[in-house]
Amino acid sequence: MTHTALSILDLVRITEGSDARAALDRARELAAHAEQLGYRRFWVAEHHNFPSIASAATALVIQHVAAGTSTIRVGAGGIMLPNHSPLVIAEQFGTLDALFPGRIDLGLGRAPGTDQETLRALRRSPAAADAFPQDVLELQLLLSRDAMGRRVQAVPGSGSEVPLWILGSSLFGAMLAAELGLPYAFASHFAPQQLLSALETYRSRFKPSRQLDRPHAAVGVNIIAADSQAEARRLATTQQMAFVDLVRGTRSLSRPPIDDIDAYWSAAEKAHAMRMLERSIVGTRETVRDGIAALVAETRADELIVVSDIFDQAARLRSYELIAGV
């Protein structure tokens, strides 16, 4: 485990009784805390039309977080590239790299990060996802040294070589990351079913590239840590309710934990939510230590991207402190 880096994916949750500004400042506070604890990177993701998630303008959130830290890598986990022109993303992340040199990551996904109606409001076609591999190559070129001197350049951006990641929850992303020789992060924090097959595909097909000479696989994992098992289970109900809301098709602010989650969900909703959350690790420092050790042994992950989706900020900071201490 000493060779497995720990990083963070923060959902920038807007909680009941709070607002977007508070969510953004909590993310910045958490990143500074994570920096002191030795986490490698801090990512936020592009989501649209979610009342409880304040990271839609992902590059701006990254700027806010990076300005409050000094050494931890900050980036997108990820940008949903079919929603954007590659040139615009190259300019945004080239600007971030100019402001925070050597600290910016650019993870890329092909899902819309929202519903179909919102996708239309973004002026994007659902078919745009089909061009994802070509868009990744275009973006990679725009950020590379090879783009310097071309008629169309990202300014800033060209020559920055901002490192790209491919994100995914299926074999498609694994194959693309392997073909392009890029690091790969699997979203097992909400879609764990193809985790092992995707990692095997990625490693077996990997082709070295200018960015990366051997595979680097990160695994997303929900971890809720507390000083007692009962408290950890209680804190986890905030995330469980959020997943039930996804099943129901409802959207609300992040809610405080409850004592009896079985009073909240039906048997069918529980089965659906727990299928998405089946690789979660919930418990004390010792439980988390054993859970992480088992996950790393099973996946041979080079890095864990930890999601600790907790309502109370103090409890969330404590959770990441306990996780870092394993």
Side-chain angles (χ1 to χ4, degrees), residues 6 14 26 28 36 46-47 62 85 123 137 142 172 176 181 204 223 246 256 261 269 293 296 303 311 314:
L6 292 176
I14 304 173
R26 285 193 296 267
R28 180 163 158 157
Q36 294 300 312
E46 178 185 349
H47 292 90
I62 291 169
S85 154
R123 302 294 192 266
L137 288 171
L142 286 164
F172 180 91
L176 181 62
S204 64
I223 305 180
L246 287 176
I261 187 64
E269 289 169 341
V296 171
E303 187 167 346
F311 178 86

Side-chain angles (χ1 to χ4, degrees), residues 192-207:
Q193 281 66 45
Q194 295 190 65
L195 170 62
L196 298 180
S197 56
L199 293 179
E200 174 58 31
T201 296
Y202 170 63
R203 292 181 176 122
S204 64
R205 299 191 180 198
F206 182 84
K207 298 178 180 179

Side-chain angles (χ1 to χ4, degrees), residues 65-128:
V65 170
T69 54
S70 58
T71 58
I72 193 170
R73 298 192 66 87
V74 185
I79 289 291
M80 302 300 107
L81 191 54
N83 294 345
H84 309 279
S85 154
L87 176 60
V88 169
I89 298 304
E91 291 168 341
Q92 290 178 0
F93 280 78
T95 301
L96 287 168
D97 180 73
L99 292 169
F100 310 102
R103 294 181 56 207
I104 302 300
D105 295 327
L106 177 47
L108 302 169
R110 68 180 181 129
T114 189
D115 56 85
Q116 293 301 307
E117 187 175 356
T118 306
L119 187 64
R120 289 192 292 272
L122 288 166
R123 302 294 192 266
R124 305 303 292 174
S125 163

Side-chain angles (χ1 to χ4, degrees), residues 268-289:
E269 289 169 341
K270 177 181 180 179
H272 196 126
M274 294 310 292
R275 186 168 183 265
M276 292 187 283
L277 293 168
E278 66 182 19
R279 285 200 172 263
S280 298
I281 302 170
V282 178
T284 61
R285 185 200 302 266
E286 292 72 26
T287 302
V288 168
R289 180 195 61 212

Side-chain angles (χ1 to χ4, degrees), residues 181-196:
L182 296 176
Y184 178 58
F186 189 89
S188 45
H189 58 293
F190 69 85
Q193 281 66 45
Q194 295 190 65
L195 170 62
L196 298 180

